């Protein structure tokens, strides 16, 4: 479980570092009201109903509410609602415009699929996560977190030589720390 939260944290950190995010709130007036209700539920720690409201707001906004999608991924993963989390990530992939945005969206999907695969013990989800990371790296090759996550995925899939190669790529692309 700790691994899942680390992966989720890396996912959101990568999204903040690599690309400018679109506006979080929906543009549709009705969706804005639903979004605010979802935020209120979230602050009251009623995460299940908040997730449902974020899904509703995203639907009302035609699947273009970036903030809703982020929350769908976050709460869907935390609550085990993999369908909602995958939907949020799929919509992010569809909306991504630049290579960095596409890479981040695929990374988000890979994080969701990895968490799902590890929790439900389904190798197919882990294999799909590897495919998403491959797409992320094709869109933006200088993405150290993606190399690292792919190394973990390949290790889980018992592909040790490929995992070692990904970890070596991670070391090569990782930015050096300043003193």
């Amino acid at each position: 479980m700790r691994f899942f939260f680390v992966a989720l944290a890396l996912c959101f950190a990568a999204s903040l570092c690599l690309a400018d995010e679109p506006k979080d709130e929906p543009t549709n007036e009705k969706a804005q009201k639903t979004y605010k209700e979802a935020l209120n539920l979230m602050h009251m720690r009623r995460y299940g109903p908040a997730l449902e409201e974020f899904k509703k707001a995203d639907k009302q906004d035609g699947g273009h509410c970036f903030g809703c999608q982020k929350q769908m991924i976050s709460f869907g993963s935390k609550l085990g609602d993999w369908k909602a989390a995958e939907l949020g990530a799929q919509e992010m992939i569809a909306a991504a415009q630049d290579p960095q945005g596409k890479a981040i969206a695929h990374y988000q999907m890979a994080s969701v699929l990895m968490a799902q695969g590890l929790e439900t013990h389904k190798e197919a989800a882990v294999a799909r996560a590897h495919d998403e990371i491959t797409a992320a790296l094709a869109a933006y090759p200088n993405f150290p977190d993606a190399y690292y996550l792919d190394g973990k995925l390949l290790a889980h899939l018992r592909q040790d030589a490929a995992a070692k190669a990904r970890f070596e790529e991670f070391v090569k692309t990782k930015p050096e720390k300043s003193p």
Side-chain angles (χ1 to χ4, degrees), residues 144-145 147-148 165-175:
D145 291 344
Y147 285 110
Y148 183 74
R166 283 302 195 198
F167 287 130
E168 288 172 355
E169 287 293 320
F170 166 70
V171 171
K172 288 179 189 175
T173 59
K174 185 178 177 190

Side-chain angles (χ1 to χ4, degrees), residues 9-144:
L10 284 173
C11 179
F12 288 113
S15 68
L16 292 175
C17 294
L18 289 179
D20 294 330
E21 294 180 349
K23 184 180 174 193
D24 278 352
E25 291 189 13
T27 55
N28 179 292
E29 190 175 320
K30 190 173 181 181
Q32 288 174 347
K33 290 178 184 177
T34 306
Y35 183 79
K36 287 180 179 152
E37 178 61 28
L39 290 175
N40 288 335
L41 289 166
M42 184 179 78
H43 292 296
M44 291 188 298
R45 299 179 190 252
R46 297 186 58 212
Y47 302 125
L51 173 60
E52 293 304 317
E53 291 297 305
F54 283 121
K55 287 177 5 184
K56 182 178 175 183
D58 186 52
K59 187 174 182 178
Q60 290 170 335
D61 201 43
H64 301 295
C65 175
F66 186 73
C68 300
Q69 294 162 1
K70 287 192 315 186
Q71 298 300 341
M72 288 164 60
I73 291 170
S74 177
F75 290 119
S77 296
K78 286 178 186 175
L79 300 173
D81 187 346
W82 304 115
K83 186 176 177 181
E86 281 188 51
L87 177 63
Q90 286 170 348
E91 289 176 350
M92 276 188 177
I93 291 169
Q97 299 294 322
D98 62 331
Q100 290 175 337
K102 288 181 188 293
I104 291 168
H106 283 290
Y107 182 88
Q108 299 252 8
M109 177 64 92
S111 297
V112 168
L113 291 170
M114 182 179 82
Q116 177 185 13
L118 294 177
E119 184 176 303
T120 61
H121 305 288
K122 292 185 179 177
E123 294 292 319
V126 177
R128 281 182 55 211
H130 167 66
D131 294 341
E132 289 295 330
I133 285 294
T134 302
L137 290 169
Y140 191 76
N142 191 20
F143 194 171

Side-chain angles (χ1 to χ4, degrees), residues 144-166:
D145 291 344
Y147 285 110
Y148 183 74
L149 183 61
D150 198 29
K152 287 177 142 180
L153 290 166
L154 290 166
H156 185 77
L157 293 170
R158 296 171 190 84
Q159 297 179 19
D160 296 337
K164 181 180 177 187
R166 283 302 195 198

